Amino acid sequence: MTHKVLHIDSAITADNSVSKGLTRAIVEKLQSSHADTEVTYRDLAATHLGQIDGAWLAAVNTPADARTADQNDAADLADTLVAELKEADTVVIGLPVYNFSAPSQLKAWIDHVARAGVTFSYTENGPEGLIKNTRAIIAYTSGGTAFGSDYDFASGYLRHVLGFIGITDVQFVVADKGAIDAEASLKAANAHIAELAA
């Protein structure tokens, strides 16, 4: 059976990005573990998703068969991003820490896919995530923002929002000392990738 991987990068540093190198290694590990792997790739820094606004909200909340042409234009990308997420067995996300938090382009992706009635629902028992049986592997990289520290506002947020839409199997590969001891930090992250379960 085909193992579908959604590979998301969000770094602005092109091929020099540590997080991009780690997400590539994670995807390669998954490909080596699954003979039939299908990868969908999104470079959020190159895609320019744009920020959501009132027109976007009206478009995505209008049934597809009732949208105007402008609403279709506004909703098409968001619908595509949601479809990619729903089809994935594993989501691999690059999370470089910018100013103690997630990059704005990754936050924009979250805003596009976290949609009531589509990826989560409100019930009498509280919110329920609708993305089921999906695993997430996050490559967390920073110059010195220690993973899980009081000033790490990136990893906890991403874990929470993924759980909110139903993705509770979340693993982090961490290289958080890029400006302190880059070699040792990267070595530890790659060792973790080598040990990842299929």
Side-chain angles (χ1 to χ4, degrees):
M1 187 167 63
T2 301
H3 183 82
K4 294 187 177 182
V5 176
L6 176 58
H7 177 184
I8 297 173
D9 280 326
S10 61
I12 61 174
T13 48
D15 291 336
N16 294 323
S17 166
V18 175
S19 66
K20 282 187 175 182
L22 291 178
T23 60
R24 277 195 304 270
I26 293 166
V27 170
E28 288 169 2
K29 169 69 174 180
L30 294 171
Q31 289 173 317
S32 71
S33 302
H34 298 274
D36 190 6
T37 300
E38 182 180 304
V39 180
T40 298
Y41 180 64
R42 282 277 174 190
D43 183 343
L44 301 181
T47 304
H48 302 297
L49 300 183
Q51 304 300 314
I52 62 173
D53 57 16
W56 175 92
L57 186 63
V60 298
N61 285 323
T62 299
D65 59 0
R67 290 173 184 161
T68 66
D70 286 344
Q71 286 178 325
N72 276 326
D73 289 343
D76 276 351
L77 177 58
D79 288 346
T80 298
L81 296 174
V82 168
E84 291 173 351
L85 181 60
K86 285 185 171 182
E87 290 171 3
D89 298 300
T90 303
V91 183
V92 177
I93 302 175
L95 177 59
V97 177
Y98 295 166
N99 300 315
F100 310 105
S101 190
S104 60
Q105 50 271 20
L106 182 55
K107 176 60 165 61
W109 177 81
I110 291 166
D111 289 342
H112 279 275
V113 301
R115 290 164 52 186
V118 179
T119 55
F120 71 92
S121 63
Y122 291 113
T123 74
E124 60 184 18
N125 298 317
E128 178 184 352
L130 301 178
I131 306 297
K132 306 292 188 181
N133 303 312
T134 302
R135 175 190 189 190
I137 307 173
I138 316 299
Y140 175 100
T141 62
S142 74
T145 300
F147 175 77
S149 65
D150 290 343
Y151 49 93
D152 163 20
F153 300 102
S155 65
Y157 167 71
L158 189 55
R159 183 191 294 276
H160 177 81
V161 77
L162 289 173
F164 185 78
I165 63 174
I167 302 174
T168 56
D169 182 359
V170 180
Q171 297 170 276
F172 285 87
V173 171
V174 177
D176 59 357
K177 297 179 178 64
I180 301 165
D181 191 343
E183 184 177 352
S185 190
L186 193 56
K187 183 177 179 180
N190 280 310
H192 188 180
I193 291 170
E195 296 170 358
L196 282 175

